[in-house]
Amino acid sequence: MDFRGKKYERGSNWSDPEVVELLQLWADESVQIELESCLRNQHVFNRIAEVLREKGIHRTGDQCREKIKKMKLEYRRIKDNSKAPRGGRTWKFYEVMDRVLTSRPALAYGSLSGSMMAQQVLQGSMVESYHHQFTSSALPFGHSQHPELMEIKCEEVNSDDHSLTPEPPQAMPYQQGSPEEQEMERAFLERAQNDSPISRVEIPIETSVSPSGFSEPNMANSSRIQNVVPRPGFSALHRLRKKRKGQRMRDPLDDLLLKTLTSQRAMEERFLQMEERRFQRDLDVEERRMQLEQRRFELEREHEFRMFNVFAQMLSILKQSHSGSSSSVAMPQGLDFSQALSEIEGMRGRGSNLQEMRLRPLAKRRVDVHSFCNPSGFQRSPYLSARGNFASAFQGSTEEGYKAYHADKYDEDKNPNGIINFGTSENKLCFDLMSKRLTQADMNLMDPSLLQYPDWKGHLFLREEVARFLTYYCKAPAPLKAENVIVLNGCGSLFSALATVLCDPGEAILIATPCYGGITQSIFLYGNVKLVYVYLDSKITGTSTRPFQLTVEKLEKALQDAQAEGVTVRALILLNPQNPLGDIYSLSELRDYLEFAKRHELHVIVDEIYMLSVFDESATFHSVLGMDRLPDPQRTHVMWGITKDFAVSGIRFGTLYTENQDVVNAVASLCYFHGVCGPVQHKVAQLLRDRDWINQVYLRANHARLKAAHTYVTDELKTLGVPFLNRNAGFFVWIDFRKYLKTGTFEEELLLWKRFLDNKVLLSCGKAFECSEPGWFRIIFSDKTHRLQLGMQRIRKVLEEREQEILAEEKEQPCQSDQDGKADSTDEVIFVSRHQDPLCASSSSLGDLIGLLQQQMRSSDWLQKNTAEQFAQEKPEIYDVFSKLVGKQ
C-alpha cells in the first residue's frame, strides 16, 4: 500500500516503540544538519518514513513530520513555561528532545556583494560550506536535492496555540502604512516575480536564538513569521494578506449580527428604563395608599371620639337624674331611637328652601318643577303653539350639561382634557362582550318578513321569547303569555304611551322622589299628564328604617294632599331597583304598595329596567311578576328593557307586560309611532334566547365589573369623608354633598354642579331628580377604570377647594348649631358629615343623645370591630371588673 499519496494525512496514534525508532532517525546529527540547512525539508521526512517502513513501521512523511512538530511543541511548552507534563508525570521523551535541540547547530545568513554566504556555527567552529562538510555519505540515506537549489527555511510548526518560545524584542517596529511596510511589500512582490536564490536573499533577515541554542530566521515567509516573529507583530505582508482575505471572506451575516446585538442592547436599556419607571410608579401608588390608610384611620378615630363623647354625656345625664338634680331630663316612656333622632332633627329645623317647598300648594309645586327647566330670557315663538313653545323650552340642567358634554367629549387620545360623563346612566363596562355576541353569525339574518310592516306590538317570535325570558328571570309562578307582551322603542316611549292611555290631560301620576327625571318629560310633553311627588327625606322619621324610604303613610299623605287640591291621581309609578337611590324593594314592601294602589283604584306602573343589574349576592331582587298573587292584576303593568342590563343604550328596545287587554290594545295603537325595526327584533330575540351565554358569560362578567367599579368609587368617597347611600344595584351612587353648600339652597347646589362641569366632570344634581333636600348628587360608576380615576381626581379637586373656602369662612364665625339642610343620614350612609358636632350644641336631652348615638352607630362598624369577646381577650382584668359590676346590678 502506497502511503505517499496521502500527502496531508495527519498521523495516527503512535506507539512508544514507533516513537523511539522515529527519534533515533530524527536525532541523527546528519539529519539535524540537513533539516536546519534546507528550506523545504519534506524529502528528509519522506526518507525517514522509507527507513521506518523497512523496519515494519508504515508511516508517511507527513505523519513523521507532524509527529516531530507535536513533540517539539510539547518540549518547548514544558521547557519555556517550566511546567510539568499533563497529569503531573514526567515526559519520557523530554531528555532525548532536550539533548537533540540543545546541541542543534545554528546557521547564520548574510549578504555580501550581492551573493549568499552560509556560515555554520558548530561547537564554536566555522564551517566553510554546507555541501563540503555534510555529504550524502554522512547521512543514513542519500541526498535527493542539490545544495545549490536548497532554499533557506526553518521547519514549520503550524499550530493554533500560541508560540511557546520566548518572544525576543522586535528588531524593526512596524506600523501599518509606514515606508518600511511599503518597502517590504515591494520586496516580497519582486520575490514572487523572480523566484531565484539571488532575489530571495536580498530581503534583510534577522535571526533570534531559541532557548535550545539553535538559530531561526525572523522573517522568511508567512509561515516562518507565524512561528518566529513575536506576536502580535506579524510581518507586514502577512498582515496585509490576512486583512485582504478577511475583507474578501466577510460574511453579510456579520452586519446582521451586529445590528441584532445593537438592537438587543437598546432593548435592554429600554427595559431597564421601563422597570425604573414602574418601580417609581409602584412607590407612588404605595405612598398614596399609605396616605389613604392614614386618612381613613384618622376618620375612624374621629368617629370613635364622637361616640365616646356621646356616651360620656349620656352617663353624665343619667348620673344627674339618679341624684335628683332638677336639671335632669327623664327618658320618655316608649321612646325609641328613631323617634329620638326625629326629634333632634326637628329641633334643628329644616332649610328655608325645603320649608317653602313643603308649604306651597301642590299645583304651585308642579309649576315650579317645570319653571326650573325654563331657560332664562325665554321668548315665545310666533310659529309654535303654546304646547310647542313649552316643549321647546323644556330643558333643565341635565340638557345643559349634555350639550356641553357632546361639544367637549373626553377622549383618551384625541381630547384628554374633555368632559367626563358621570351623569348619563349607561353601562360602559361590557362593550367587548356585547359587540362580540351581536356580530356572530346567528345575529345576521335578513328575512323578507323582517323588512316588512310587522305586528305593531312586535313580531310574534320576539314576544314569545320575551315572555319566556321574563318567566325565567322574574321567577314567575306560571309561564307568562306572549299575548300580554308589547314591544316599543324604549321605556321612555312606554311611559308616554301608558300616561296617554291611563290619564286624561291635567290628571296626575304619583311617584316618590328623588326619581329619574326623564319620566317627567316622557309623560308631560305628549299626554299633558303631571306628576304628584312623594317627597322622601334622608332622615329617619316615623316608621322609616333607612334614608329615603318609601312608606305607605307617605303615599297616603301625598295622595290626600293632591285630592284636597282637586287633582285626580290615576296611577302610581314604582322604580325597582330605584333610580337614583339604588333601593331594592322587598316582597312585603311591594305588596304594601300594591295593596295601597288597589284601595284607591290606582294603576301601578313598575319599572324594572335594572332587574339584572343587582351586582352583589347579598342583595336579592324580587319582581312583581314573581309574586304568587297580585292584588290587582288588571291594574299592574311591568316594564323592562335591554338598555341597562345588557349595556346597549343605543338600541332602543322596551317591553311592557300587562294582563289588561284593553291596555294592550290601547298601547298597541300608539306602537305605530314607537315601533322597533325588524332586524333589531331578530337580534334581540336571538340574544334573549341564548340563556347559557347570558348566565355563564355575560352576567358573571357584568356583575364582577360593576362591583369592582362601585368599590373603587365608594372607597374614594370614604377617603374624602363624603356620606353616600351604600346600595348594590344599578349604575349609580347617591352622594351627600350638602356640607359643601354654604346656604343649603338649590341655587347653591346648581353653583356646585356648574363648578364640577367647569372642572370637566358631569354629574347629576338632586334638583334634576326632584330631591327635596339641596346638596345630593348622583354619580355613575359603570365606566372604565381610567375614566373613573381621572373623574374622581377632578371631583376631589373641586371638593377640596370648596372645603377650604368653607373652612376659611367658619374661622371667622363661632361654632353654630343652625345646620339647616345639613342633617346627616343614618343607616347605610357611610361617614358622618363633619358639620355635625355634638360639642357645639348648647343643650342636649337624653333622647337627643340616644338618637345621636344611634346615628353614629349605624354609620360605623365600630361595634362589629370592638366586640365584648375581643375586649375580654385584650384586657381581661378590666373585663372581669366590669363583669362583677354587672353581676351585682
Side-chain angles (χ1 to χ4, degrees):
M1 185 174 191
D2 189 7
F3 290 91
R4 288 174 297 180
K6 299 180 180 181
K7 181 177 181 180
Y8 297 103
E9 179 183 5
R10 298 300 176 183
S12 314
N13 293 332
W14 289 71
S15 62
D16 290 345
E18 293 175 344
V19 174
V20 171
E21 293 292 338
L22 175 64
L23 288 177
Q24 289 179 354
L25 296 175
W26 174 76
D28 188 271
E29 184 177 1
S30 60
V31 174
Q32 288 298 315
I33 292 175
E34 186 172 4
L35 288 174
E36 185 68 17
S37 61
C38 64
L39 183 62
R40 293 184 178 87
N41 50 27
Q42 185 62 42
H43 61 281
V44 179
F45 288 100
N46 290 339
R47 289 198 295 273
I48 292 176
E50 292 177 0
V51 176
L52 289 177
R53 281 197 295 271
E54 293 177 357
K55 297 182 178 183
I57 301 174
H58 299 279
R59 299 290 178 178
T60 64
D62 285 327
Q63 292 175 342
C64 297
R65 184 170 176 269
E66 289 297 324
K67 184 61 178 176
I68 293 298
K69 285 197 297 185
K70 292 179 180 179
M71 295 179 70
K72 289 172 64 176
L73 289 174
E74 184 68 16
Y75 164 75
R76 291 172 181 171
R77 185 184 69 83
I78 296 173
K79 186 175 184 63
D80 296 345
N81 299 326
S82 299
K83 295 181 180 179
R86 298 181 181 90
R89 297 172 298 179
T90 305
W91 189 35
K92 62 183 69 176
F93 303 113
Y94 178 81
E95 295 181 357
V96 177
M97 297 294 296
D98 184 68
R99 175 177 56 81
V100 174
L101 294 178
T102 53
S103 60
R104 168 180 283 190
L107 297 180
Y109 306 94
S111 58
L112 181 61
S113 303
S115 62
M116 177 184 296
M117 177 181 293
Q119 298 177 351
Q120 181 179 8
V121 181
L122 182 58
Q123 297 179 356
S125 62
M126 179 71 68
V127 180
E128 294 180 359
S129 63
Y130 172 77
H131 60 278
H132 289 228
Q133 181 69 20
F134 303 103
T135 59
S136 59
S137 60
L139 297 173
F141 38 83
H143 241 318
S144 61
Q145 186 175 1
H146 196 276
E148 294 179 359
L149 300 178
M150 292 183 184
E151 295 183 0
I152 303 171
K153 182 178 185 299
C154 286
E155 54 181 311
E156 297 177 344
V157 180
N158 295 325
S159 174
D160 294 335
D161 301 331
H162 294 289
S163 176
L164 299 176
T165 58
E167 297 180 359
Q170 286 184 283
M172 180 177 61
Y174 169 77
Q175 297 291 337
Q176 187 174 359
S178 61
E180 290 83 359
E181 177 184 349
Q182 298 176 3
E183 185 67 26
M184 294 175 67
E185 183 178 358
R186 186 162 50 252
F188 274 106
L189 292 176
E190 292 175 1
R191 175 182 175 183
Q193 295 176 358
N194 303 319
D195 192 9
S196 64
I198 301 300
S199 62
R200 286 194 292 269
V201 299
E202 290 178 355
I203 302 175
I205 300 176
E206 297 183 6
T207 60
S208 62
V209 181
S210 66
S212 59
F214 58 90
S215 172
E216 293 181 347
N218 287 334
M219 298 170 56
N221 54 23
S222 60
S223 60
R224 180 177 182 83
I225 294 171
Q226 183 176 356
N227 277 320
V228 180
V229 176
R231 296 188 182 188
F234 293 90
S235 69
L237 182 60
H238 179 75
R239 283 183 289 186
L240 183 62
R241 289 178 178 176
K242 187 174 182 180
K243 181 178 178 181
R244 292 177 178 175
K245 182 178 180 181
Q247 293 177 350
R248 290 194 305 269
M249 299 180 63
R250 187 173 182 178
D251 195 338
L253 293 178
D254 294 342
D255 296 335
L256 180 60
L257 180 59
L258 179 61
K259 294 180 180 178
T260 303
L261 295 176
T262 305
S263 302
Q264 181 180 1
R265 182 175 181 181
M267 291 174 62
E268 291 176 353
E269 294 178 353
R270 175 64 175 168
F271 176 75
L272 292 176
Q273 295 175 359
M274 294 176 63
E275 284 295 315
E276 292 177 358
R277 286 199 297 266
R278 184 187 64 81
F279 181 71
Q280 184 64 34
R281 184 176 65 251
D282 293 344
L283 290 179
D284 296 340
V285 171
E286 183 65 19
E287 183 179 358
R288 173 66 176 166
R289 188 188 67 80
M290 295 298 294
Q291 293 176 357
L292 295 178
E293 289 294 332
Q294 181 65 23
R295 188 166 184 177
R296 185 178 291 109
F297 177 77
E298 293 175 357
L299 291 174
E300 290 178 355
R301 290 303 178 191
E302 181 181 353
H303 191 80
E304 292 177 3
F305 172 75
R306 289 175 178 175
M307 292 184 66
F308 280 115
N309 195 346
V310 174
F311 271 119
Q313 293 189 36
M314 290 177 62
L315 292 175
S316 177
I317 293 175
L318 290 174
K319 184 177 179 180
Q320 293 176 7
S321 177
H322 181 71
S323 62
S325 175
S326 60
S327 62
S328 63
V329 179
M331 180 181 293
Q333 294 293 329
L335 178 66
D336 61 358
F337 288 150
S338 300
Q339 292 175 355
L341 180 62
S342 176
E343 291 178 4
I344 189 173
E345 298 297 346
M347 288 188 301
R348 295 192 174 184
R350 297 170 180 171
S352 58
N353 207 300
L354 178 59
Q355 281 184 333
E356 294 176 2
M357 180 181 294
R358 294 296 179 83
L359 295 176
R360 292 173 187 164
L362 180 62
K364 182 64 177 176
R365 276 186 274 162
R366 289 198 303 272
V367 174
D368 289 345
V369 169
H370 305 300
S371 64
F372 171 76
C373 302
N374 290 337
S376 61
F378 169 73
Q379 295 181 355
R380 179 184 179 90
S381 172
Y383 303 103
L384 300 176
S385 64
R387 202 166 44 176
N389 278 283
F390 186 82
S392 175
F394 195 92
Q395 57 180 359
S397 61
T398 56
E399 295 296 332
E400 180 184 350
Y402 297 151
K403 184 182 296 184
Y405 165 69
H406 288 292
D408 188 18
K409 186 180 299 186
Y410 170 83
D411 186 273
E412 186 177 3
D413 299 322
K414 299 179 182 179
N415 189 22
N417 295 322
I419 298 176
I420 296 178
N421 187 1
F422 286 167
T424 305
S425 183
E426 292 180 305
N427 187 349
K428 301 177 182 178
L429 298 173
C430 296
F431 174 77
D432 55 336
L433 300 176
M434 291 305 302
S435 61
K436 182 178 180 180
R437 181 65 187 92
L438 293 176
T439 54
Q440 291 181 357
D442 62 326
M443 293 288 180
N444 301 323
L445 177 65
M446 202 57 63
D447 191 79
S449 62
L450 300 178
L451 303 179
Q452 299 171 357
Y453 289 125
D455 183 348
W456 296 121
K457 294 183 294 185
H459 283 288
L460 180 60
F461 68 85
L462 174 60
R463 289 188 285 124
E464 291 176 346
E465 200 58 51
V466 169
R468 287 190 290 267
F469 180 87
L470 295 178
T471 300
Y472 178 80
Y473 286 101
C474 294
K475 297 179 176 60
L480 303 180
K481 300 178 181 179
E483 62 187 18
N484 298 331
V485 176
I486 302 176
V487 175
L488 275 77
N489 60 343
C491 291
S493 299
L494 281 173
F495 273 120
S496 298
L498 286 173
T500 301
V501 302
L502 298 181
C503 305
D504 291 328
E507 294 182 341
I509 297 177
L510 203 63
I511 188 172
T513 65
C515 65
Y516 170 56
I519 298 177
T520 304
Q521 183 175 358
S522 298
I523 71 170
F524 182 81
L525 289 182
Y526 275 175
N528 193 19
V529 178
K530 298 178 175 57
L531 290 175
V532 173
Y533 296 122
V534 182
Y535 291 102
L536 305 180
D537 301 329
S538 62
K539 296 167 286 297
I540 297 178
T541 58
T543 59
S544 300
T545 59
R546 65 177 184 270
F548 298 103
Q549 183 178 1
L550 176 62
T551 61
V552 175
E553 289 78 5
K554 296 177 182 179
L555 290 172
E556 292 280 2
K557 187 178 184 306
L559 181 60
Q560 291 174 5
D561 292 344
Q563 291 174 349
E565 297 180 13
V567 178
T568 301
V569 178
R570 291 293 186 182
L572 168 66
I573 294 178
L574 295 176
L575 308 178
N576 186 31
Q578 214 275 351
N579 178 12
L581 302 178
D583 278 333
I584 303 174
Y585 298 136
S586 64
L587 279 176
S588 60
E589 289 177 324
L590 289 175
R591 188 172 289 106
D592 292 340
Y593 304 150
L594 295 178
E595 291 289 350
F596 160 80
K598 181 181 180 180
R599 287 195 304 270
H600 297 282
E601 295 183 351
L602 300 178
H603 290 270
V604 181
I605 303 172
V606 186
D607 182 3
E608 298 181 351
I609 196 169
Y610 293 98
M611 174 179 65
L612 300 181
S613 297
V614 180
F615 51 84
D616 198 312
E617 296 178 356
S618 62
T620 304
F621 171 78
H622 300 282
S623 173
V624 170
L625 298 177
M627 299 177 66
D628 295 334
R629 184 188 61 84
L630 292 175
D632 192 353
Q634 293 298 314
R635 287 189 174 92
T636 305
H637 321 292
V638 182
M639 298 166 48
W640 179 80
I642 66 172
T643 301
K644 310 298 183 181
D645 287 338
F646 285 97
V648 285
S649 55
I651 299 179
R652 308 304 301 144
F653 178 87
T655 181
L656 172 69
Y657 188 88
T658 177
E659 296 183 6
N660 191 322
Q661 290 301 312
D662 294 336
V663 174
V664 170
N665 295 330
V667 173
S669 64
L670 299 177
C671 290
Y672 177 80
F673 307 106
H674 306 285
V676 180
C677 65
V680 172
Q681 292 192 41
H682 169 75
K683 287 180 179 290
V684 173
Q686 290 295 106
L687 177 66
L688 301 181
R689 185 178 295 115
D690 195 354
R691 203 76 52 78
D692 293 337
W693 179 82
I694 293 174
N695 294 331
Q696 303 300 326
V697 178
Y698 178 76
L699 289 182
R700 289 185 177 181
N702 186 34
H703 291 168
R705 295 176 185 181
L706 286 175
K707 187 174 183 179
H710 178 268
T711 302
Y712 172 78
V713 172
T714 53
D715 286 346
E716 288 292 316
L717 294 175
K718 292 177 185 178
T719 304
L720 293 172
V722 176
F724 62 92
L725 287 184
N726 190 23
R727 299 296 188 263
N728 301 312
F731 310 150
F732 28 75
V733 178
W734 192 237
I735 308 176
D736 183 6
F737 285 154
R738 289 177 293 174
K739 66 180 181 180
Y740 298 100
L741 304 183
K742 298 180 180 179
T743 59
T745 61
F746 286 109
E747 288 74 12
E748 281 290 322
E749 178 186 90
L750 186 61
L751 291 177
L752 181 59
W753 174 83
K754 289 182 177 179
R755 193 158 183 174
F756 283 123
L757 189 62
D758 292 340
N759 282 269
K760 301 304 180 68
V761 59
L762 174 63
L763 300 179
S764 297
C765 59
K767 185 62 178 177
F769 301 96
E770 292 302 326
C771 182
S772 61
E773 300 175 358
W776 289 87
F777 282 72
R778 187 190 75 171
I779 182 174
I780 303 299
F781 62 82
S782 53
D783 209 335
K784 295 295 185 181
T785 304
H786 66 278
R787 285 194 289 267
L788 288 179
Q789 293 175 345
L790 181 58
M792 292 305 298
Q793 291 176 5
R794 296 175 180 179
I795 292 175
R796 175 189 292 273
K797 178 182 177 183
V798 173
L799 296 181
E800 289 178 349
E801 293 175 354
R802 190 71 171 175
E803 189 173 18
Q804 293 296 328
E805 296 173 1
I806 294 175
L807 291 176
E809 294 180 1
E810 287 182 352
K811 290 181 179 179
E812 301 176 359
Q813 301 176 358
C815 181
Q816 300 177 358
S817 61
D818 52 42
Q819 302 297 327
D820 297 338
K822 295 186 178 66
D824 293 306
S825 307
T826 59
D827 204 4
E828 289 86 354
V829 177
I830 308 301
F831 284 95
V832 179
S833 175
R834 298 177 182 175
H835 285 274
Q836 185 175 12
D837 193 347
L839 297 178
C840 295
S842 59
S843 63
S844 300
S845 65
L846 183 59
D848 297 338
L849 292 174
I850 292 175
L852 184 57
L853 178 62
Q854 182 201 28
Q855 178 181 357
Q856 299 286 345
M857 292 166 59
R858 288 182 175 178
S859 60
S860 172
D861 56 353
W862 184 84
L863 290 179
Q864 285 75 16
K865 293 181 179 178
N866 299 273
T867 60
E869 293 78 6
Q870 181 180 358
F871 182 76
Q873 294 178 359
E874 294 178 353
K875 300 179 179 180
E877 300 84 2
I878 302 178
Y879 182 76
D880 292 340
V881 175
F882 175 77
S883 300
K884 293 178 181 179
L885 179 62
V886 173
K888 290 181 180 181
Q889 295 178 352

